[in-house]
Amino acid sequence: MLNDIDFTDPDREAAEAAARELFRLLRSLGVELDDMTVVVPCDTCRRSGHRVHLGTLHVEDVRTLNDELTLLTNRPHPGRPPR
């Protein structure tokens, strides 16, 4: 009988996979997310679905992330006019 019970949640698994990828990418930039979590949907939230909470970022990690995002946004992209 227990073989017929399935507790998997594809939406949560997709959120966890996205969170793991973000964690991996940010770590490769030198940003540590010490307390990142996946949060279940809430009834009062403006947007539905699972949420990824990044947790607390140390100031140095925010500076690193800002620097990396600045480089990324200033890089020329095909099909996008230069800034």
Side-chain angles (χ1 to χ4, degrees), residues 7-62:
F7 294 105
T8 59
D9 181 345
D11 292 334
R12 181 174 180 92
E13 289 175 349
E16 289 173 355
R20 275 191 297 278
E21 180 67 9
L22 179 61
F23 181 87
R24 186 187 66 74
L25 289 168
L26 290 177
R27 178 177 269 179
S28 74
L29 297 175
V31 176
E32 291 293 330
L33 298 176
D34 297 327
D35 51 355
M36 183 180 198
T37 58
V38 173
V39 181
V40 298
C42 71
D43 295 333
T44 60
C45 294
R46 189 171 44 101
R47 293 166 58 182
S48 63
H50 286 80
R51 295 168 287 136
V52 175
H53 183 264
L54 299 182
T56 303
L57 292 169
H58 294 273
V59 173
E60 194 54 43
D61 289 327
V62 172

Side-chain angles (χ1 to χ4, degrees), residues 60-71:
E60 194 54 43
D61 289 327
V62 172
R63 288 186 183 121
T64 300
L65 185 55
N66 288 344
D67 291 345
E68 294 295 332
L69 289 172
T70 298
L71 289 172

